[in-house]
Structures are given as C-alpha cells and as structure tokens.
Amino acid sequence: MPQRPDVPAIISLLVSLMAISLMSVLFGRKTSGTNMSSINYARGLVISLYMVSWGFTTIAAVLTSTNPGNMTSCALSIFVCISLYAASKIIIYLFLIEKVYVVSSVTTTRKDTLLYRVNILLLTPYTVILVLMVLNRVAVLDEKDECIIGLKPLASIFLILYDIFVSSWLTILFIRPLMSTNSVLQGPSKGKLRQVARRTLIGSIVALVLSSGNVFTLVYYGGYEDSVLCLLSCTLDVTLNAVTVHWVTSRARGSQPTDKASRGVTNQNNNNNTTNHNTSNEKKMSPSDTHISVTVESYTD
C-alpha cells in the first residue's frame, strides 16, 4: 500500500525554500553596491540577521526531511532552534537598542548614554535563559518514529516572560519620544528621525507579537511539539522578523528621488550664491542637526 504524503512536512519545506530565497534577495538588496569594509554597526546587524535567518531556514529544511526515525537529526533540530533562533533574537534586540539610541540620545556617544548601557545590561539575563533552554530541551521519537522537540515548561515560561518584558520595554522607549513635546524628535527639521522612530516602533511591536505567538504555541503543546510544526513556526518567526527589520531600514518610497530632485533645483537656482548659501547654512545648523542627519542616513538604504 503506497505511503500517504506528509502534508505538513511538504508545507514546511516549501515555506523554508521561499524563506531561503527571500533572505537571499534581501541580503543582495542591502549589500548591493556597498563596500563591505565600510559597513557600519547598524547595517552590520541587519546583514547578520539576514545571514542567521538564512542559515536557520536552510538547516531547518534539511532537518525537516531527515527527522523521521532519525534520533541524531531530531536532537540536532532542537539545538539549531535554540542556538540560531536565540542568535536572531539577540540581533533584533541589539538592533532595537541601537535605534532607541538614535532617536533619543543622538548628541552623545553610546558609552556615555546611560539608557544605552542599561538596555545592553538587560540582555545579560538571556545567557541564563539560553542555559535553561539547553538543560530543559526535549528531543524524542514517539511510537510512530516521529520527531518531537520542544522546551520543558520551566524554560519556555522564562523565555516568554523575558521576551515580553524586553520587547515591551523597547516599545515604550519608542513611544515616549514620539509622544513627548520636548524630545529630540520634535521640530520641523526632524522629519526623517520621526519616521525612523515610527517605523521602528511598528517593528518592535511586530517582534513582540511574533515571539509571543511562537512561544505560546510551544507552551500550548506542553513543550512537546512535532518537529515539523516547531521548525515551521520558528522559520516563519525569524523570516517575518527579518522582513520587518528590512522594511524599518528602507527609505520611504519616493523620498530619495525627491531629495535628489530638490537638491538639483536648489543648486541650479543658487549657482551664483553657493558660497554665501553654504556659509549661512553652516551657521544655522547645530551640531545635533548634523549628527542626526548623518545618523539617519546611515540607517537607510
């Protein structure tokens, strides 16, 4: 009697293949025409996220097809979920912390910004969470030789509480300057910076929803989830997070051409007064405005 096709495994493989292709496109989009030696910290985080997400989805596709009846592959699945998934979350947190610094403390260096140091310190408990996940991992074959992986309640509960706390805290840090009338985002010259804050606020909310939904699924299954479903949900999580981060760091449609066009018109109309015009602008532009302009441009395509 012919064996029935495993529909969930087929769906998982198709999703993984699409995610691999998407990560490749985003990686090419972000690095096209860029000198790799001149990539700044922010863009380096984004590119690292693409690479980790690509690695996770590629390995997940292989493991999905080899897990049934294979204890070695089953054990590798949970280790991949723990290591690469955790790496992607850390990169996203570092990215959001960097954006908080950009929209709140652009006139000081990172090491001199108390909020930045506090946010970095908040990431240290993740090492404890990582140890708990390793010690409380689940990787077994059931009576049908199907691979079951997951985390025991102790690790999954701590993980979801930590994710909710950190994501909520970073979300609040983006809401605060947007709502305050005295923040660095206010003023007619801070339009780009406000756009960065709004986009990143949406990105942090998406990260919170995706992480919560993924871990809640694990809790729902009591820490014992079919490896196909677990790898599929984690693949969707890291991929959608990477897409969100790509959107956050992309220019608004039409902004670049408009800027170029306006610069061209300005240069043409003021060709005979270039020196006086530049001198006047230098006098009017404060150091913080210059820093904001350079910083915001380094965060977009």
Side-chain angles (χ1 to χ4, degrees):
M1 183 176 182
Q3 187 177 3
R4 295 177 61 184
D6 191 345
V7 176
I10 294 174
I11 295 175
S12 180
L13 284 172
L14 289 176
V15 170
S16 294
L17 291 174
M18 288 188 290
I20 292 169
S21 301
L22 182 58
M23 288 302 101
S24 300
V25 170
L26 296 186
F27 179 85
R29 174 68 178 84
K30 190 63 67 176
T31 58
S32 176
T34 301
N35 185 354
M36 299 300 288
S37 62
S38 63
I39 292 177
N40 57 27
Y41 174 64
R43 183 164 292 195
L45 288 175
V46 177
I47 293 173
S48 298
L49 180 61
Y50 296 157
M51 296 174 67
V52 170
S53 300
W54 183 90
F56 178 86
T57 52
T58 302
I59 297 174
V62 175
L63 294 175
T64 296
S65 59
T66 59
N67 273 346
N70 189 332
M71 188 58 207
T72 301
S73 177
C74 187
L76 283 174
S77 296
I78 188 60
F79 277 111
V80 168
C81 280
I82 291 174
S83 59
L84 293 183
Y85 181 78
S88 70
K89 299 303 296 184
I90 289 295
I91 293 172
I92 290 172
Y93 290 147
L94 288 173
F95 173 80
L96 293 176
I97 289 172
E98 182 69 7
K99 282 302 188 73
V100 169
Y101 162 72
V102 170
V103 302
S104 61
S105 307
V106 294
T107 58
T108 59
T109 61
R110 295 178 184 85
K111 66 178 182 179
D112 295 328
T113 305
L114 178 60
L115 181 60
Y116 184 86
R117 289 181 293 179
V118 169
N119 287 336
I120 292 295
L121 187 63
L122 287 177
L123 295 185
T124 55
Y126 206 90
T127 56
V128 179
I129 301 294
L130 187 59
V131 171
L132 283 176
M133 289 193 292
V134 172
L135 295 178
N136 291 272
R137 68 187 186 279
V138 173
V140 296
L141 296 177
D142 62 10
E143 63 279 0
K144 298 180 180 179
D145 272 347
E146 296 294 333
C147 176
I148 304 296
I149 61 175
L151 298 173
K152 294 178 182 178
L154 177 64
S156 58
I157 290 174
F158 272 100
L159 176 60
I160 192 170
L161 290 177
Y162 178 81
D163 272 345
I164 290 175
F165 168 73
V166 174
S167 299
S168 300
W169 166 250
L170 293 174
T171 300
I172 292 172
L173 293 181
F174 285 110
I175 294 176
R176 187 183 63 173
L178 284 171
M179 300 296 291
S180 173
T181 57
N182 299 320
S183 76
V184 71
L185 301 183
Q186 305 307 319
S189 64
K190 307 301 191 300
K192 286 186 177 181
L193 197 59
R194 285 195 296 273
Q195 184 184 56
V196 169
R198 292 191 188 100
R199 285 195 170 207
T200 313
L201 171 61
I202 296 173
S204 63
I205 293 174
V206 170
L208 173 60
V209 171
L210 291 174
S211 298
S212 300
N214 193 21
V215 182
F216 269 125
T217 301
L218 189 60
V219 173
Y220 174 79
Y221 284 101
Y224 291 80
E225 188 176 2
D226 188 294
S227 63
V228 173
L229 296 178
C230 186
L231 291 172
L232 174 60
S233 61
C234 289
T235 296
L236 290 173
D237 190 343
V238 298
T239 302
L240 292 176
N241 271 313
V243 171
T244 302
V245 169
H246 181 82
W247 173 77
V248 168
T249 57
S250 298
R251 293 181 186 272
R253 182 175 298 179
S255 62
Q256 187 173 5
T258 300
D259 291 342
K260 288 183 177 180
S262 63
R263 284 198 298 268
V265 171
T266 301
N267 290 337
Q268 183 177 0
N269 292 338
N270 298 282
N271 186 48
N272 297 327
N273 300 309
T274 302
T275 303
N276 293 334
H277 182 70
N278 290 341
T279 303
S280 176
N281 279 347
E282 289 175 0
K283 291 180 180 179
K284 292 180 180 180
M285 183 173 288
S286 65
S288 62
D289 288 335
T290 304
H291 186 95
I292 288 171
S293 178
V294 173
T295 304
V296 172
E297 289 300 324
S298 70
Y299 279 79
T300 55
D301 291 337

